[in-house]
Amino acid sequence: DSQFNVYAGDYANHVTKLDINGKQAWQWTAPSNVNSVAVDSQFNVYAGDNANHVTKLDSNGNKVWQWTAPSTVYSVAVDSQFNVYVGDGGNHVTKLDSNGKQVWQWTAPSYVYSVAVDSQFNVYAGDYANHVTKLDINGKQVWQWTASSSVNSIAVDSQFNVYAGDDANHVTKLDSSGKQAWQWTAPSAVYSVAVDSQFNVYAGDYA
């Protein structure tokens, strides 16, 4: 977050907040394995788990609300207005409002492994069927790009370029129209990508 705290979700059913020095601030126990965590500008934390839940925690790790998804929650993201976006194993991307109420739901071609949201509230989804899809603020498809393999992770920068990590060992940059700008080959399958304010890209792989 903006104060350099770190949040971790683990397969022992925990969400843990660490301070700037790596000291545990709090730990919350989820209903199941935690696959994804996100944090908003007010330090609320959102966790997606294997038991089909998205849970909002306040800055002290106390539960605020919990929403039940149609399937395993693989990815969560949050925007500047505290709306939450959920990618699940039932092929859905769901937008929730700040109170955890469903706003819309879009059906993807396959399991949704990663979701991201930009400053204009467009949503990006990476799925098991090799797609990166851009949705507008109302959940309508804008464009769809096909990767060489399952898309495990996506990120978006301030200029609306999109970065995708896939099972075929690639990190691909797409422009705001969904056209490929470049592609880099990693040593192994890419499970996570991130981008900073200077457009440097970071990739984590299976090797």
Side-chain angles (χ1 to χ4, degrees), residues 114 129 134 144 165:
S114 185
K134 178 178 180 176
Q144 188 171 78

Side-chain angles (χ1 to χ4, degrees), residues 28-55:
W28 175 77
T29 302
S32 184
N33 302 344
V34 178
N35 296 318
S36 183
V37 291
V39 60
D40 68 28
S41 60
Q42 293 184 343
F43 313 113
N44 299 297
V45 183
Y46 305 84
D49 67 50
N50 266 4
N52 307 3
H53 299 114
V54 176
T55 306

Side-chain angles (χ1 to χ4, degrees), residues 1-7 17 26 38-46 56-62 64 78 82:
D1 65 26
S2 62
Q3 294 184 345
F4 313 109
N5 300 297
V6 180
Y7 304 84
K17 178 179 179 176
W26 52 252
V39 60
D40 68 28
S41 60
Q42 293 184 343
F43 313 113
N44 299 297
V45 183
Y46 305 84
K56 178 178 179 176
L57 308 174
D58 66 20
S59 59
N60 295 311
N62 300 307
V64 178
V78 60
F82 314 111

Side-chain angles (χ1 to χ4, degrees), residues 9-96:
D10 66 46
Y11 265 37
N13 306 4
H14 298 119
V15 176
T16 307
K17 178 179 179 176
L18 307 175
D19 67 19
I20 191 172
N21 298 309
K23 304 297 184 184
Q24 183 174 312
W26 52 252
Q27 187 172 77
W28 175 77
T29 302
S32 184
N33 302 344
V34 178
N35 296 318
S36 183
V37 291
V39 60
D40 68 28
S41 60
Q42 293 184 343
F43 313 113
N44 299 297
V45 183
Y46 305 84
D49 67 50
N50 266 4
N52 307 3
H53 299 114
V54 176
T55 306
K56 178 178 179 176
L57 308 174
D58 66 20
S59 59
N60 295 311
N62 300 307
K63 186 197 290 188
V64 178
W65 52 251
Q66 189 171 76
W67 176 78
T68 303
S71 184
T72 300
V73 177
Y74 289 123
S75 185
V76 291
V78 60
D79 68 25
S80 60
Q81 294 184 343
F82 314 111
N83 300 297
V84 183
Y85 304 86
V86 184
D88 69 48
N91 307 3
H92 301 112
V93 176
T94 307
K95 178 178 180 176
L96 308 176

Side-chain angles (χ1 to χ4, degrees), residues 122-138:
N122 299 296
V123 185
Y124 305 84
D127 69 52
Y128 184 72
N130 309 1
H131 299 111
V132 175
T133 307
K134 178 178 180 176
L135 309 174
D136 67 18
I137 192 172
N138 297 310

Side-chain angles (χ1 to χ4, degrees), residues 2 23 55 61 79 85 92 105 109 113 151 160 171 192-193 198 203:
S2 62
K23 304 297 184 184
T55 306
D79 68 25
Y85 304 86
H92 301 112
Q105 188 171 78
Y113 284 148
V151 177
F160 313 111
V171 175
S192 185
V193 291
Q198 296 183 342

